[in-house]
Amino acid sequence: MASIALHDTAVLHDQDHGHHKETFITKYIFSQDHKMIAKQFLITGIIMAVIAMFLSVLFRLQLAWPDKSFPILETFLGKWAEGGRIRPEFYLALVTIHGTMMVFFVLTAGLSGTFSNLLIPLQIGARDMASPFINMLSYWFFFTACMIMMGSFFTQTGPASAGWTVYPPLSALPKAIPGSGIGMTLWLISMILFVASSLMGALNYISTVLNMRTKGMDMWKMPLTIWAFFLTAILGVLSFPVLVAGVVLLIFDRSFGTSFYLSDIVIAGQVLPNQGGSPILWQHLFWFLGHPEVYIVIMPALGITSEVIATNSRKPIFGYHAMVYSLIGITVLSFIVWGHHMFITGMNPFLGGVFMITTLIIAVPSAVKTFNYLATLWRGNLRFTPAMLFAIGLVSFFISGGLTGIFLGNAALDINLHDTYFVVAHFHLVMGSAAIFGMLCGVYHWFPKMFGRMMDEKLGYLHFWLTFIGAYLVFFPMHFMGLDGVPRRYYAFTEFEFMKEWLTVNVFITWAAIIAALAQVAFLWNFFYSIFYGKKATQNPWHSNTLEWTTAVKHIHGNWPGDIPTVYRWPYDYSKPGHAEDFIPQTTPFSETMSSNLPHDFEGNPEAEYIQEEWIKSHASELQTEEKV
Amino acid sequence: MVQTSADQDRINLRARKFLMWLFIISSFMLFAGLTSGFIVYTAGSVERGLKILLPQAFMYSTAVIIISSVTMHLAYLSGKRLQFNKQKLYLTLTILLGILFFIIQLSTWRWFIAHGVYFVNYNASQSFLYIFTGAHLLHVFAGLIMLIYALLGLRKNIPQVRNLFRLEVTSIFWHFIDILWIYLYVFLLLNQ
């Protein structure tokens, strides 16, 4: 049904292409074309990433040189850095907004928004999303959310400062700390807009994947990117509304005097009227989203990596079905592990044990994915493009960060490690760095598809090595700080005797962070320069199998000028024995590849098997001579 | 791109109807989150809990919204059978019943206040009453707008495909609101 309907539109489409009139506004600003929306998400995401990275450099300066004055900071930050030293309140705002922006704006919207929008219609063979209008709204809600979050920097009391998890009572009492005032209100408004944006995006992604695949594209012929985006969207649809539920209650506590989260609070000697609330309730509601959220961040990166590693190893992805099932496993499990963020809330030890077991089980699908990446690389015909390097970088971070997850998932260990730098090191490696590398990998790989030009490889290598080494130098030492009990989010370590010895390590980390941050200039230059002056791309620069490379380099609305191509095979026929080239696009029918077809390619179709057998019999002599040669 | 939307609509109706189902799932998760929050909160201490009997008015509003679901379905059937006058009648009826439901729900808030069940409350289980009914009323409000939109389409004599699409999407959502209220009511009855 779907395919018939789609072909009808192809005809409709061609007819009214003649009187299309695109103005600057409909083409570049309020665009409903998924490719343009993807670019909007990407560029907004990159800008947010640069800002969030800059914030991290600011608080790293404070951590490394807590007693030193940097007059230049006062020039730019004014009263927040009086005397050239960042004030404690502003330090808290910096870590809060750094976390919020990175997790939500960069790694959720920037990653899913960009690549789901770009690749879902292109790789499943659809002309656009189910509802292009809602898709456009999704971007503009996201953009508004970004602007409001940035706007909180320009308020008198500064941005939200309760940490990215905004636990009450800090977030629920406007008078608690300066950042709990207008900054927190703006944070909540921004997040509601953001949730609306990601829901609109996710609904579109799911509906498009389920309803608008081209002829022949059954679910098991979809590239792993699409599987990952699809399951990520499902996670979003099921978990983001619960955050809304929590936020609604928080807003009522803040502004209407209810007591959902508040009880027994004294501020400056004054007893507050709020009674009977439970701050743990927020933690439940928050982490029911919060934990799936980390998979919303990492799964698209894993999908992108699967595609890039297979393409650049010139080998089929190892264990395609296992890859899909492990994604499904992660999706399901991610909903029943949130309690591992709450081991120290006085949780019943039995319940803690349950959450511990479910958490550790997630290691299984994660390990399946890791081993499948390694097995795909094993004896592959590797091409080290910048995208491939970043994909391998993701695998590296996923392993080194994932291992510490096993430590933290243990309730007994977590009680010691909770809120220390060990946690910071863990999630920055497994979620932060890994997902950023997945995103960069996707940018390098699909840049030719987005902009019709190539990025510079040499700058890409420079960018990769500096970032890769920099990230490890930043986050690896943090494990040892955490094991020693150094807590996260503290303003300065000079006040505690046992932490003083870590000051030199902090200096080292800060220098590594500054160098890694400077390395991003190589990327930014490469990205923006190549949009306009890069080498012109060919239609299929990586010799890839998936559908997006069958479209013309120049973008047209509707993606394919004539009919949408039909799909005949899975996307990973790389280096198939018997075929002349080392890749066979999904649009190549088996009748054109008689020399390489295998019995299981026909999915039990007896007629096709018979034809193939006959062909092999009639070509037996040729095949033998070929073998002799 | 805006120009082709009319054409795109025609093909995408199925995919777009599916968007409504997905929205319902996310909306259901919102209420699942709220009701789970209620359970977690209430289980925390014996001093918490509804501690009142629900007002009679909830019975009436439940009856009203169930009837409105029936009229909604009748409107859908008449639209399908090209009986547009009937469709108009049943849609109007549904809208009126929806408004009646809205009013009854608001009247229960007054009843709550009269019985000392305030929104600002040390026993937040009682505050949850307002959250549940309020969040549900927001959905009813959205449903009413969709109903009016479907009625306006009929006025403007839009093509039958579009008319039926609006009707279907509206009725899916309206039945969801109905079921959602029954869920909330039963949930509250079990906890009173």
Side-chain angles (χ1 to χ4, degrees), chain A residues 5 9 16 20-22 33 130 132 203 207 210-212 238 241 245 252 256-258 260 273 275-276 281 557, chain B residues 1 3-4 7-8 11-12 14-16 18-19 22 25-26 29-30 33-34 37 41 48 119-120 122 124 127 131:
Chain A
T9 44
D16 60 18
H20 256 200
K21 235 170 129 194
E22 282 183 336
D33 182 14
L203 298 185
S207 184
L210 288 181
N211 292 301
M212 296 170 73
L238 295 178
F252 283 120
F256 295 83
T258 54
F260 291 106
Q275 280 303 327
L281 176 59
H557 187 57
Chain B
M1 277 139 235
Q3 299 84 335
T4 55
D7 299 317
Q8 278 185 343
I11 37 141
N12 288 351
R14 200 172 72 129
R16 290 176 61 188
F18 195 73
L19 284 178
L22 292 172
I25 292 173
S26 70
M29 284 307 293
L30 172 72
L34 287 172
Y41 175 84
R48 301 169 183 167
F119 182 46
V120 176
Y122 289 164
S127 313
I131 298 283

Side-chain angles (χ1 to χ4, degrees), chain A residues 342-360:
Chain A
M342 301 166 59
F343 283 142
I344 61 157
T345 55
M347 170 186 275
N348 181 334
F350 173 74
L351 194 59
V354 172
F355 278 123
M356 183 177 108
I357 289 167
T358 53
T359 302
L360 294 182

Side-chain angles (χ1 to χ4, degrees), chain A residues 6 31 38 91 96 109 131 175 221 375 428 469 472 534 550 588 600:
Chain A
L6 286 169
S31 172
Y91 174 84
T96 303
S131 169
K175 290 198 180 100
K221 288 197 179 71
H428 273 96
I469 296 170
Y472 265 123
T550 62
T588 312
H600 69 251

